[in-house]
Amino acid sequence: MTITPATHADAPSIAAIGSATFTTSFAHSMPEKDLQAYLLTSYAPSVIHAELSDTRENSFYVACLADGAVAGFLQVKHRTSDPCLPPELKLVEIHRVYVATEHHGRGIGGKLLEHALEVVRRDGESQGAWLGVWEENLRAQKFYAGFGFAEKVGRHAFTMGECVQWDEIVLFRF
């Protein structure tokens, strides 16, 4: 497996993995109309193309298998913040670490997260990273904590249509 910067040619794979993973993880927790509206505004290929074009704001990386198939992706957001974050720290957001369901259990998510932290370290300015993880997704919380995202600093609302869920905001400090 290799991890490389994503290109526009990867947008359909990123959109498909993002949509499928989000649906698998969250469909049970929200009305269908809210889920479908969110998928259209977050994982349509045109949305992914636009985010890939905004390189000042986003960095995308894909995990590719030996045959070139995209097994997962990572999105780093460079210019985001949250009111609960310590204002004295310069932090980067790890926005998405998604692996196609059929590739779960192979360590791909861990390799993507390690890559994200290396990207953040290399920028030379950041003092760490932050991410939001759904308060009910205990498996993901445990996964992120295993990589040092254990400092909970607050939470924020994640709104999808009429559905409001809460994310725990966790930090990783260098």
Side-chain angles (χ1 to χ4, degrees), residues 66-130:
D67 65 1
V70 176
F73 74 93
L74 156 71
Q75 181 182 10
V76 177
K77 296 187 83 133
H78 302 285
R79 300 166 55 91
T80 61
S81 189
D82 194 88
C84 68
L85 295 171
E88 71 277 6
L89 293 179
K90 181 166 175 25
L91 301 167
V92 173
E93 180 184 8
I94 308 299
H95 187 59
R96 295 172 175 147
V97 179
Y98 283 9
V99 176
T101 305
E102 64 269 22
H103 299 297
H104 283 187
R106 296 184 181 181
I108 295 170
K111 290 187 185 336
L112 282 165
L113 190 54
E114 287 172 355
H115 187 80
L117 293 173
E118 183 56 34
V119 166
V120 174
R121 276 188 191 95
R122 274 192 315 230
D123 86 5
E125 295 180 23
S126 297
Q127 296 166 295
W130 70 280

Side-chain angles (χ1 to χ4, degrees), residues 20-171:
T21 302
F22 192 90
T23 299
T24 299
S25 301
F26 302 107
H28 71 280
S29 69
M30 69 181 64
E32 179 69 18
K33 67 179 174 52
D34 291 341
L35 173 66
Q36 292 307 317
Y38 182 76
L39 294 176
L40 283 174
T41 60
S42 297
Y43 294 110
S46 61
V47 172
I48 301 300
H49 275 290
E51 289 181 330
L52 282 164
S53 294
D54 187 0
T55 57
R56 183 177 164 158
E57 190 71 32
N58 300 290
S59 295
F60 278 85
Y61 299 88
V62 289
C64 295
L65 303 176
D67 65 1
V70 176
F73 74 93
L74 156 71
Q75 181 182 10
V76 177
K77 296 187 83 133
H78 302 285
R79 300 166 55 91
T80 61
S81 189
D82 194 88
C84 68
L85 295 171
E88 71 277 6
L89 293 179
K90 181 166 175 25
L91 301 167
V92 173
E93 180 184 8
I94 308 299
H95 187 59
R96 295 172 175 147
V97 179
Y98 283 9
V99 176
T101 305
E102 64 269 22
H103 299 297
H104 283 187
R106 296 184 181 181
I108 295 170
K111 290 187 185 336
L112 282 165
L113 190 54
E114 287 172 355
H115 187 80
L117 293 173
E118 183 56 34
V119 166
V120 174
R121 276 188 191 95
R122 274 192 315 230
D123 86 5
E125 295 180 23
S126 297
Q127 296 166 295
W130 70 280
L131 56 84
V133 57
W134 186 32
E135 67 183 353
E136 294 184 28
N137 192 341
L138 302 180
R139 181 176 175 219
Q141 289 177 31
K142 184 177 178 181
F143 170 76
Y144 292 125
F147 285 88
F149 285 90
E151 183 182 346
K152 291 183 180 180
V153 296
R155 42 191 249 149
H156 67 203
F158 187 79
T159 304
M160 297 152 290
E162 295 177 16
C163 180
V164 178
Q165 297 182 357
W166 290 90
D167 285 349
E168 300 285 346
I169 305 301
V170 292
L171 292 184

